[in-house]
């Protein structure tokens, strides 16, 4: 059976970009495939060093996974650092990763600009650890947002390089996946770029946001002075509002506002009010589940333990195979 794997860094609470780029696909795939979903707390350490915050974020993401519909009886749901086989595979894969290709990675270049005070080796080898996450279960499909495409390409390169070097077809080639057939980039509310955890106040709508906060953020979303002539092209910030609408509103609603844009009668106040209403309707049931689960330590602990146990069985089988192929099996008969 095809295997599916994905993870999200525990660097804060989940927002709509995480949901539509990643988690929505997890929920759907768990009914069809053998699935592994984890919380990337080791990856978080490359940029987030506060131990207490890290612990809180791990728990937040676990709660949010379950509230969004991940089912521990269908998927292995685990915390990355609970599966030490991943870091062992990471060490081995580092022998196949070239310094030059790591330095050229777009996310590395971006992060060293942002974190000049802490350009650590973990940042450089981030794609190798991510490849280890994926290859440890010999996964085929990796549901992620568009920003992860290059990391997936690198994971494929390492898999192919390993297979070639050791004359095997041990690793399948993993591909980025979205069930709509197209990788998604959810825009932020500030008019440029993607919705993200660290893009500044008001850019992201979080699954934990209250109705009032959602309304306020959408009210403040960037707009322009309105269409100047009929059927004009939408500028970036207006396109973004329509893109968000496409995630949560009905086709009729979108068509209505499209028409008002095209005939220049659009009122941004109405557009935003409608978007806020539909967004609240979408998010509030998830938020209610989050609130229920937040205090249910016992259930959360059980889920993470059960997930790690399941993941370690699959991880150990892969690691044993890799060590055999690389010449690391016991030399004693
Ligand atoms: P962030 O970028 O907010 O720090 P992560 O890097 O932890 O979030 O992303 C976790 C997952 O969510 C990845 O699969 C990533 O591609 C996806 N994702 C994050 N932001 C977006 C977005 N704006 N649109 C689509 N997918 C996104
Ligand atoms: N790099 C991913 C992100 O920033 C998180 C991640 C770590 C991941 N390991 C992974 C995603 C393995 C998919 C598969 O969003």
């Amino acid at each position: 059976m095809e295997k599916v794997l994905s993870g999200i860094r525990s660097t804060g609470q989940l927002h709509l970009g995480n949901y539509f780029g990643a988690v929505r696909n997890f929920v759907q795939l768990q009914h069809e495939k053998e699935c592994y979903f984890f919380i990337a707390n080791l990856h978080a350490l490359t940029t987030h060093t506060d131990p207490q915050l890290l612990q809180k974020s791990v728990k937040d993401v676990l709660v949010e996974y379950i509230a969004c519909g991940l089912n521990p009886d269908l998927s292995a749901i685990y915390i990355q650092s609970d599966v030490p086989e991943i870091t062992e595979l990471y060490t081995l894969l580092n022998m196949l990763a070239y310094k030059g290709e790591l330095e050229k990675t777009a996310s590395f270049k971006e992060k060293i600009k942002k974190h000049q005070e802490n350009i650590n080796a973990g940042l450089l080898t981030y794609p190798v650890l991510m490849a280890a996450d994926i290859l440890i279960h010999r996964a085929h499909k990796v549901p992620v947002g568009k920003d992860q495409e290059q990391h997936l390409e690198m994971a494929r390169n390492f898999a192919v390089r390993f297979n070639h070097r050791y004359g095997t077809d041990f690793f399948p080639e993993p591909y980025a996946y979205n069930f709509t057939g197209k990788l998604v980039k959810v825009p932020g509310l500030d008019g440029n770029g993607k919705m993200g955890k660290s893009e500044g106040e008001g850019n992201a709508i979080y699954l934990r946001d209250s109705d009032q906060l959602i309304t306020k953020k959408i009210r403040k979303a960037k707009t322009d002075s309105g269409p100047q002539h009929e059927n004009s092209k939408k500028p970036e910030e207006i396109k973004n509002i329509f893109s968000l609408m496409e995630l949560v509103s009905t086709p009729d609603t979108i068509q209505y506002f499209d028409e008002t844009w095209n005939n220049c009668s659009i009122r941004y106040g109405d557009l935003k009010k409608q978007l806020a209403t539909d967004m609240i309707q979408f998010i509030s049931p998830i938020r209610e589940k989050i609130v229920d689960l937040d205090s249910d330590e016992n259930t959360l602990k059980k889920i993470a333990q059960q997930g790690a146990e399941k993941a370690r069985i699959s991880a150990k089988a892969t690691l044993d195979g890799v060590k055999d192929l690389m010449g690391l099996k016991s030399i004693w008969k």
Side-chain angles (χ1 to χ4, degrees), residues 70-330:
L70 280 197
N71 180 339
D73 295 326
L74 297 175
S75 307
I77 302 166
Y78 58 94
I79 300 163
Q80 190 180 26
S81 61
D82 284 344
V83 181
E85 289 79 6
I86 298 168
T87 34
E88 198 170 343
L89 180 60
Y90 162 62
T91 303
L92 301 177
L93 290 180
N94 267 325
M95 314 309 167
L96 287 103
Y98 301 121
K99 174 175 163 275
E101 66 188 331
L102 296 175
E103 280 170 345
K104 270 195 289 187
T105 315
S107 64
F108 176 66
K109 290 201 241 164
E110 235 171 71
K111 282 187 179 138
I112 61 173
K113 256 196 234 150
K114 234 187 194 164
H115 301 275
Q116 291 194 12
E117 78 299 342
N118 182 19
I119 304 175
N120 58 70
L123 270 186
L124 182 69
T125 56
Y126 186 109
V128 187
L129 180 56
M130 179 156 162
D133 293 326
I134 298 167
L135 299 181
I136 198 76
H137 300 301
R138 281 174 275 178
H140 302 83
K141 284 195 166 72
V142 183
V144 282
K146 190 143 181 53
D147 60 315
Q148 296 299 312
E149 226 170 2
Q150 190 183 27
H151 288 154
L152 259 296
E153 190 189 328
M154 295 177 80
R156 269 196 306 283
N157 286 343
F158 299 141
V160 169
R161 207 173 288 162
F162 180 94
N163 287 349
H164 183 72
R165 186 176 290 178
Y166 297 104
T168 173
D169 56 3
F170 190 75
F171 286 124
E173 290 182 39
Y175 281 89
Y177 175 85
N178 186 293
F179 72 82
T180 61
K182 232 178 106 198
L183 296 186
V184 172
K185 178 180 143 188
V186 177
L189 290 171
D190 56 7
N192 47 44
K194 68 162 198 155
M195 186 173 284
K197 290 183 201 127
S198 46
E199 314 295 327
E201 190 62 24
N203 168 61
I205 296 180
Y206 292 90
L207 301 178
R208 290 174 184 263
D209 280 351
S210 68
D211 294 354
Q212 293 82 339
L213 191 55
I214 294 171
T215 307
K216 188 172 146 200
K217 283 183 179 175
I218 292 177
R219 199 179 329 115
K220 284 193 172 164
K222 192 154 183 256
T223 48
D224 66 346
S225 53
Q228 302 305 313
H229 51 87
E230 288 192 359
N231 301 315
S232 57
K233 208 170 148 247
K234 297 187 185 94
E236 191 68 19
E237 58 267 29
I238 305 301
K239 238 190 333 200
N240 289 351
I241 296 189
F242 274 86
S243 300
L244 291 171
M245 231 177 188
E246 267 164 35
L247 301 174
V248 294
S249 304
T250 64
D252 283 356
T253 305
I254 297 161
Q255 199 190 340
Y256 167 78
F257 283 103
D258 240 345
E259 280 164 15
T260 62
W261 167 269
N262 284 329
N263 65 25
C264 300
S265 68
I266 194 160
R267 286 164 42 165
Y268 289 148
D270 294 347
L271 175 76
K272 287 177 169 181
K273 213 187 256 168
Q274 184 66 49
L275 177 60
T277 305
D278 295 341
M279 197 65 93
I280 287 167
Q281 199 178 11
F282 175 78
I283 286 185
S284 57
I286 299 179
R287 188 184 59 226
E288 278 161 28
K289 288 194 198 126
I290 290 176
V291 173
D292 283 347
L293 272 164
D294 264 338
S295 53
D296 196 350
E297 291 273 341
N298 270 340
T299 303
L300 297 172
K301 187 173 160 194
K302 260 193 228 138
I303 291 172
Q305 276 174 347
Q306 180 188 322
E309 268 168 36
K310 236 195 220 173
R312 288 196 71 180
I313 294 170
S314 148
K316 183 169 184 312
T318 301
L319 190 60
D320 286 349
V322 169
K323 286 165 94 171
D324 272 3
L325 285 161
M326 292 181 89
L328 294 169
K329 64 182 165 196
S330 171

